[in-house]
Amino acid sequence: MTELVTFGETMALFAARRTGPLRFARDFDLGLGGAESNVAIGVARLGGSCAWIGRVGADEFGDLIRSALLGEGVDVRAIPDPDAPTGLMIKGRRTADLVDVRYYRKGSAGSRLSPDDLDADLIRGARVLHVSAITPALSGSAREAVRYAIAEARAAGVLVSLDVNYRKALWTPQEAGAWLRDTIGEVDVLFATEQEGRLITDAAGTADDLAKALAAHGPRHVLVKFGAEGALELSDGQARRARPYRVTEVDPVGAGDAFAAGWLADWLAGADPAQRLDTACAAGAFAVTSQGDWESLPRRSDLRLLQRPADGVSR
């Protein structure tokens, strides 16, 4: 049985090797990146079984995505599109501390995803359906695909996980907020930064107040991420906080996907709430320690390498 099913757009990723304006870059590393496939790789490395569904161009970049995900143990349902190219992501460093990411995905194969591309039996047979709010911003057909997948999962009693993953290049805060408010009641697990959470609710107060306001919309598990400052989980009415692991940050892109992967992998493994939150924070910490969106995602054996926070997880 496939434990986790996810879908969305994965793009070819060109990362500049030198720091400075992109117009002066001469050498690039070629890889891939996509929020949902990052999660699939992260869960697979932590021992879960995952499937990723998406449209790719009938081109070399589409072949790269397919082979790379297969190599990471992901069940790949990459649908070749002869009429649209694989999307592109260009990543540079304007300064040593400032990452510059640009997307070229309008009219891409991934944006043409539709309900017809999804395997309802695969979704219904899984334990978790994981989606992001990136996919519904790509196109009307992609938005319908998300709605269809969530409906199929809920009808089968499959846990539905949503990572907000707000992208301002794809839609406005007002558009994203409206879709999220319309969808959150169908979700069991919600991942969001504090800023992303406030797209959904205008609740004032602390992060704890925000988590409670988000949970009031329906999710049983609300995860509020603070980046280098740790995370807050509100599950079934009980709040927990986790302090971050201290690492040297090289590339922050992909940390949120790693956090979601760590939490979901431990949920699938039956870990207790404190452990799964700790694993989520550790996975997020590993993700930022090297270049690339997913290359540093940990395996179970890696989790022992990080020193635990001095004051641990509060319950």
Side-chain angles (χ1 to χ4, degrees):
M1 181 183 71
T2 297
E3 293 179 301
L4 182 143
V5 174
T6 188
F7 62 93
E9 180 173 33
T10 296
M11 296 162 285
L13 167 59
F14 286 87
R17 291 180 175 175
R18 64 182 291 176
T19 300
L22 270 171
R23 63 181 176 272
F24 297 122
R26 298 295 179 268
D27 298 308
F28 293 83
D29 290 317
L30 173 61
L32 61 113
E36 300 85 2
S37 57
N38 291 345
V39 171
I41 292 170
V43 172
R45 285 193 180 181
L46 292 171
S49 59
C50 305
W52 173 84
I53 305 169
R55 296 183 74 86
V56 298
D59 50 35
E60 288 291 321
F61 298 143
D63 291 343
L64 166 66
I65 290 166
R66 184 182 296 104
S67 62
L69 293 179
L70 283 171
E72 289 294 328
V74 176
D75 177 3
V76 181
R77 310 292 179 94
I79 302 158
D81 189 331
D83 300 316
T86 302
L88 297 180
M89 176 169 28
I90 313 296
K91 184 190 293 184
R93 280 192 176 274
R94 185 61 184 84
T95 70
D97 300 317
L98 181 61
V99 177
D100 177 15
V101 181
R102 303 178 185 224
Y103 301 98
Y104 298 86
R105 61 203 312 177
K106 185 176 181 179
S108 67
S111 71
R112 290 154 61 100
L113 188 75
S114 75
D116 291 340
D117 297 322
L118 304 182
D119 184 335
D121 290 336
L122 185 68
I123 293 170
R124 285 173 167 266
R127 295 177 60 196
V128 176
L129 170 71
H130 178 73
V131 299
S132 84
I134 295 173
T135 306
L138 297 176
S139 67
S141 65
R143 187 172 305 189
E144 287 304 311
V146 175
R147 187 177 300 279
Y148 170 77
I150 291 175
E152 290 293 324
R154 288 186 63 80
V158 176
L159 187 88
V160 177
S161 165
L162 168 65
D163 193 336
V164 173
N165 255 322
Y166 176 65
R167 297 290 187 268
K168 64 181 180 180
L170 295 176
W171 53 0
T172 67
Q174 293 75 22
E175 291 170 326
W179 183 87
L180 288 162
R181 285 188 294 273
D182 187 52
T183 305
I184 189 174
E186 307 298 312
V187 167
D188 300 295
V189 184
L190 178 71
F191 297 96
T193 64
E194 191 169 358
Q195 185 176 10
E196 288 171 341
R198 299 195 188 280
L199 292 173
I200 302 170
T201 176
D202 57 3
T206 65
D208 294 79
D209 296 325
L210 173 63
K212 290 175 183 176
L214 293 171
H217 285 272
R220 288 179 49 206
H221 310 283
V222 173
L223 287 297
V224 181
K225 302 170 291 184
F226 308 121
E229 300 305 316
L232 163 68
E233 176 177 352
L234 180 64
S235 285
D236 297 321
Q238 184 172 1
R240 296 175 180 83
R241 280 185 175 269
R243 292 184 60 81
Y245 286 93
R246 297 300 180 186
V247 296
T248 300
E249 181 181 297
V250 175
D251 184 351
V253 179
D257 303 328
F259 181 95
W263 194 95
L264 291 168
D266 263 22
W267 185 89
L268 289 168
D272 65 68
Q275 180 60 53
R276 70 192 181 207
L277 182 58
D278 189 62
T279 298
C281 288
F286 268 106
V288 305
T289 58
S290 75
Q291 296 284 355
D293 285 21
W294 55 271
E295 285 81 348
S296 280
L297 292 171
R299 293 176 170 81
R300 289 284 176 189
S301 58
D302 294 325
L303 297 177
R304 298 189 295 270
L305 300 177
L306 289 183
Q307 184 175 358
R308 294 185 179 277
D311 47 1
V313 178
S314 59
R315 294 176 172 81

